[in-house]
Structure formats: structure tokens, C-alpha cells
Amino acid sequence: MTDNATRDIEDLIGMMARLPGLGPRSARRAVLHLIKKRALLMTPLAEAMQQVAATARECLACGNIGTSDICDICSSEKRATGEICVVEDVADLWAMERGASFRGRYHVLGGTLSALDAVGPEELRIPKLLDRVRAEGVTEVILALNATVDGQTTAHYIAEQLEGTGVSVTSLAQGVPIGGELDYLDDGTITAALKARKRF
């Protein structure tokens, strides 16, 4: 194998190692597996990644990731229930959708408030959320934020901003442990927490 070929493979391993949950050793094993199954896995994976890189975009309404300017959830009239579920990031939205128990729409904040990291309301999609509540006839905002200090600080801030609007503000209840993150919970736990939501 030439030095250039070896360098290409090492570069690929280095890129894979940057992915969440993959360290250098796991990345090396994954790359070796892909090379061995080049026709079956590597080529289709490369083509799929190229396609997604060209077409993936953020929904202008809620912040979800899809292939059009307005995602399927926001464009579906069946989801216009007057309920907006507020989540920290797209992974949390997808976790909620796996449970298939929420039939309203979502709003992805893109993070949580953090004084340490200088993340304020303007750095998140909180102003956009307040605009949506006014414009879309929202009757309930469900705060499905992670049960962390920053998550709960963000939830309290949003609840304060919605005071006096006549909108019901609720949060997920039982099933979400303190310090827990939605993306790591099973579907049954998320469904139970959603059904037992309470006024915030």
C-alpha cells in the first residue's frame, strides 16, 4: 500500500473518531469493516452521505432537520393541534417521535441557557418560539427539556415569558430522571412522561 493510500485511510479513521461515541479504536474497527464490505456498505454509505450533505436543511419553523424548508411535521395539518413541544435539540425531537404519542408540533431551541457559556435567549430560538405562540394559535406549550440545571433554568425562563398569554405551560412529569437526557430514554418512559405532564 502506498503512503498516500495509508494516509487516506488514517484521515478517514481520524474523521470517524470525531463522531460521538467513537474513539480512535472504535473508528479504526469501523473503517476496517467498511473497507472489507466496500461494495455492500462503504460505497452506498458514501453516496447516502453525499446526498444528505446536499439536501439536509433546518426547518425554518421549528428547527427540525429534514430535506425541505418546512419539515413534514410542521407542514402536516393533522399536527396543528395547538400544542407545541419545546425540546433542546433535534435528537430530543426524534426521541419524542419514536414514542409516537405526541401529535402536535415541536420547537427546537438549539441548546439551553447558560451563563457560563454566554448562551442567552437570543442565541437560542426562544424569540422565535414566542412569535410562534402568538402567530399559530397555540393553546399549550409542553416544556420537554432535559432534567439538568441548565434545562430547568431554560424551562423557568420560557414559562416566565409566557405568563399572561393565556397559554397553558406544562412539563414532562414522571419517568424522566433528574440529570436524564431524552435521547437516552426508552420509548415507554417518554410516553409515560408525556401522558403525565403537569402544569409548569
Side-chain angles (χ1 to χ4, degrees):
M1 189 181 294
T2 66
D3 286 345
N4 282 345
T6 304
R7 195 177 310 117
D8 289 345
I9 293 170
E10 289 300 325
D11 288 347
L12 178 57
I13 291 168
M15 285 206 252
M16 293 281 284
R18 292 184 204 158
L19 296 172
L22 284 183
R25 291 176 70 181
S26 298
R28 190 170 299 280
R29 281 196 299 272
V31 168
L32 274 173
H33 183 72
L34 286 169
I35 290 171
K36 287 177 185 174
K37 306 278 187 179
R38 194 171 316 176
L40 189 66
L41 284 176
M42 194 174 213
T43 302
L45 176 62
E47 289 169 359
M49 289 177 77
Q50 188 173 15
Q51 179 68 19
V52 170
T55 61
R57 62 196 67 204
E58 192 175 274
C59 175
L60 297 176
C62 74
N64 189 14
I65 301 294
T67 55
S68 56
D69 288 337
I70 302 297
C71 73
D72 292 343
I73 295 171
C74 287
S75 62
S76 170
E77 283 304 313
K78 292 180 181 176
R79 304 297 290 254
T81 62
E83 297 173 330
I84 287 185
C85 183
V86 180
V87 294
E88 184 177 325
D89 59 36
V90 175
D92 296 333
L93 186 159
W94 290 357
M96 294 289 289
E97 280 296 282
R98 279 197 314 266
S101 53
F102 179 65
R103 302 312 304 159
R105 291 179 175 161
Y106 293 92
H107 189 82
V108 181
L109 294 177
T112 52
L113 296 172
S114 174
L116 281 175
D117 299 321
V119 178
E122 297 301 323
E123 282 72 44
L124 303 176
R125 301 180 77 250
I126 293 175
K128 174 75 174 170
L129 170 64
L130 302 177
D131 291 343
R132 287 185 70 194
V133 167
R134 286 188 288 268
E136 295 180 20
V138 173
T139 56
E140 181 182 7
V141 171
I142 303 163
L143 300 173
L145 301 177
N146 292 321
T148 59
V149 172
D150 287 344
Q152 294 310 294
T153 300
T154 306
H156 281 286
Y157 177 83
I158 292 170
E160 286 172 8
Q161 297 302 303
L162 292 171
E163 275 181 17
T165 61
V167 174
S168 173
V169 180
T170 58
S171 65
L172 297 186
Q174 65 189 29
V176 179
I178 298 299
E181 297 186 17
L182 290 177
D183 194 35
Y184 295 102
L185 299 180
D186 64 274
D187 301 349
T189 300
I190 290 175
T191 300
L194 185 65
K195 286 182 178 172
R197 63 185 183 269
K198 62 187 189 306
R199 184 170 294 279
F200 191 78

